[in-house]
């Protein structure tokens, strides 16, 4: 089931890329495995899926450790783990010690703790700043006017490498409306890169989920985060 679902999602990504005149190799698939057991991750990994996303820190770390001991990592090439949920200060150490990416950074204080707590034997933690461009009031994410300033600070932190931006827009009415919101994120991403104020260009624009991955790819997403279409309804 998971393998068939994965194939279907890969087909959707390829079709969306062709429709947008893009090379499918420019869009990565992050499989969002939150609430599903490590066996489900193993199934996807056995079909070549490498990158997995988790929202809840303790649940994610349990899976990472279980798979390191039992399985996938030993047999297959190493998995890559992305934290995509809110990170409280008291969880930064767990995140810094176990994940490869954090896509949900929206405060300098959290970034500083992640940098300080990243073990020196590991490569820097890959970071995306979570942005909030549609003004969802009770949602996390940096408002557009503050993204460049935070990006400049994060890019200086030694334990981190700034890779890009991540967005979770409110559900849109249709394809055109979804594209409009994603396009604002893409425009901000391009503007920050063009500003020349970062030491290195960002290369990751993480947007698009099960419902809106076509619109996100149309608007320039380089990483779609898909849960339901791969693992089923939560
Ligand atoms: C749950 C989640 C996803 C996956 O959503 P689906 O609609 O199940 O594909 C992607 N990104 C984030 C941040 C999530 O929390």
């Amino acid at each position: 089931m998971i393998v068939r679902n994965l194939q279907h999602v890969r087909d959707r990504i390829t079709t969306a890329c062709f429709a947008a005149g893009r090379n499918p190799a420019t869009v990565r698939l992050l499989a969002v495995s939150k609430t599903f057991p490590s066996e489900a991750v193993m199934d996807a990994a056995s079909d070549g899926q490498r990158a997995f996303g988790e929202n809840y820190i303790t649940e994610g770390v349990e899976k990472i450790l279980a798979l390191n001991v039992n399985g996938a990592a030993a047999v297959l090439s190493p998995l890559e783990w992305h934290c995509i949920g809110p990170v409280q200060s008291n969880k930064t150490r767990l995140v810094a010690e176990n994940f490869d990416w954090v896509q949900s950074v929206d405060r300098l204080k959290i970034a500083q703790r992640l940098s300080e707590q990243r073990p020196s034997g590991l490569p820097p933690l890959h970071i995306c700043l979570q942005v909030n461009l549609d003004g969802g009031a009770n949602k996390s994410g940096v408002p557009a006017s503050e993204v460049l300033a935070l990006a400049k600070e994060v890019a200086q932190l030694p334990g981190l490498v700034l890779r890009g931006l991540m967005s979770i827009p409110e559900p849109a009415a249709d394809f055109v409306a979804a594209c409009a919101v994603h396009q604002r994120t893409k425009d901000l991403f391009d503007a920050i890169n063009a500003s020349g104020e970062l030491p290195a260009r960002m290369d990751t624009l993480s947007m698009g989920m099960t419902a809106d991955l076509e619109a996100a790819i149309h608007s320039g997403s380089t990483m779609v985060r898909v849960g339901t279409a791969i693992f089923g309804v939560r």
Side-chain angles (χ1 to χ4, degrees):
M1 188 64 164
I2 287 174
V3 168
R4 205 176 59 206
N5 290 346
L6 252 183
Q7 194 50 56
H8 181 61
V9 170
R10 290 178 184 135
D11 289 345
R12 280 178 65 186
I13 294 170
T14 303
T15 303
C17 284
F18 287 149
R22 299 183 57 195
N23 177 350
T26 62
V27 178
R28 291 189 73 198
L29 172 59
L30 180 70
V32 177
S33 44
K34 64 181 178 211
T35 77
F36 289 94
S38 50
E39 291 73 26
V41 173
M42 280 285 273
D43 283 351
S46 70
D47 193 49
Q49 178 62 31
R50 294 270 76 79
F52 292 88
E54 291 285 337
N55 279 60
Y56 312 107
I57 315 295
T58 38
E59 177 198 328
V61 169
E62 273 170 27
K63 263 177 252 183
I64 293 169
L65 297 179
L67 286 163
N68 275 345
V69 174
N70 299 329
V75 195
L76 310 158
S77 52
L79 303 181
E80 182 185 284
W81 291 95
H82 294 234
C83 174
I84 59 174
V87 181
Q88 315 297 339
S89 294
N90 62 357
K91 293 280 167 53
T92 50
R93 182 175 298 280
L94 260 184
V95 172
E97 290 179 348
N98 290 285
F99 283 87
D100 304 296
W101 285 63
V102 185
Q103 298 201 13
S104 40
V105 170
D106 64 359
R107 281 183 291 153
L108 181 59
K109 181 183 162 206
I110 296 295
Q112 286 168 331
R113 290 176 65 92
L114 290 170
S115 177
E116 281 159 19
Q117 293 170 345
R118 181 67 168 170
S120 56
L122 294 178
L125 200 49
H126 301 268
I127 299 293
C128 291
L129 304 181
Q130 182 176 343
V131 300
N132 178 354
L133 299 198
D134 59 2
N138 44 23
K139 223 176 46 183
S140 26
V142 192
S145 58
E146 295 168 20
V147 177
L148 176 59
L150 181 59
K152 285 163 67 174
E153 304 253 32
V154 168
Q156 305 301 328
L157 296 172
L160 310 183
V161 53
L162 178 65
R163 295 296 299 270
L165 306 182
M166 184 272 263
S167 70
I168 316 174
E170 298 297 315
D174 55 28
F175 181 81
V176 173
C179 288
V181 178
H182 287 312
Q183 189 63 46
R184 289 217 299 278
T185 310
K186 164 70 167 158
D187 290 346
L188 178 66
F189 178 81
D190 288 344
I192 290 175
N193 272 338
S195 74
E197 298 216 48
L198 296 181
R201 291 174 71 87
M202 302 183 292
D203 63 6
T204 301
L205 184 53
S206 172
M207 55 186 197
M209 317 197 292
T210 291
D212 65 345
L213 72 87
E214 284 83 4
I217 288 172
H218 179 85
S219 310
S221 170
T222 70
M223 188 184 296
V224 291
R225 310 179 307 269
V226 179
T228 307
I230 297 173
F231 296 107
V233 176
R234 291 180 294 273

